[in-house]
Amino acid sequence: MGRRRKPRGRRFDGVLLLDKPQGITSNEALQTVKRIYNADKAGHTGSLDPLATGMLPILFGEGTKLSRLLLEADKVYTTRAKLGVTTDSGDSDGQVLETKAVPAISDEQLESVLAGFRGEGTQIPSMFSALKKDGKKLYELAREGIEVEREPRPINIFELTLLGRGDDWIELKVHCSKGTYVRTLVEDIGQALDCGAHVVELRRTNVAGFQPEAMVTLDALNLLRDEKAFAEMDAHCGPINSLADHLPRFELTAEEVRWVVQGQGLLIPGAPTSGDLALVDAEGQLVALGAMMDDGRVGPTRLLIAGQ
């Protein structure tokens, strides 16, 4: 008797902006959403630590092919930092390494320190990041008591705004480029203030221009599932076209669509010479991502046609 095949979930395309709760990993949040939607294929972009809350885009179906766009996109966070205490992980989930008195810091001194972190710079990733060394994640090595050398990485802090402060805490808004670790930024700010600091609250409010008002919580999704309000549940999923809204957009003729699907390049006057392009059909549906090739034509780099 043959083995019974495991039933597949629903096949559909879309993007859900989940408001991840505190205390669970991004993968746990993903698996919960996948079960709620009974989705055949789903993935998340840009992990949030268990401590962190906020925007975790969940991609379904063909949307998973576009995860790189969100991984490479700018992001916005709000964070509260505790001054005078450093931890091994850079946040309140870690072990305390040092406690120091917080000096009197004027508003002018604090602004001067923050100004030094705005703009382009470099950052050494935390040992508690998910980056890999020889195939093993850094945080796994850190938990084994192993520290390895990490190369500085280029980052850009587009906005660093003080939202509030107290005697031993500051609250910041951070608009940053891909690859920026807010925990490390807070640690570096604490060092510049000569007292140390670590993250006690972290919330992501924006990814690639998606606004926080579009987020939905796990509790809300579970309630809709219990009430069998499937249409309303599905309505929280946006079209995968929206994942490319921040890219230059070029409309293709029906014949050009056929060429692109076959992997052929196109001459597109005025196309940017670097970065991704959104190639859409006459109805505005995303056909593929494209990029300039060495011969001056735009070639497809990722097809958004089922089965490709």
Side-chain angles (χ1 to χ4, degrees), residues 109-132:
Q109 288 174 314
L110 180 54
E111 171 55 29
S112 178
V113 166
L114 296 180
F117 289 95
R118 298 186 186 113
E120 296 181 356
T122 60
Q123 186 183 76
I124 298 176
S126 167
M127 272 302 300
F128 284 80
S129 70
L131 294 176
K132 291 185 177 181

Side-chain angles (χ1 to χ4, degrees), residues 5 18 98 110 118 152 162 173 215 243 271 289 300 302:
R5 294 184 62 184
L18 179 69
E98 185 180 19
L110 180 54
R118 298 186 186 113
L162 180 68
K173 177 183 178 182
M215 290 192 289
L243 297 171
L289 299 182
R302 178 61 95 176

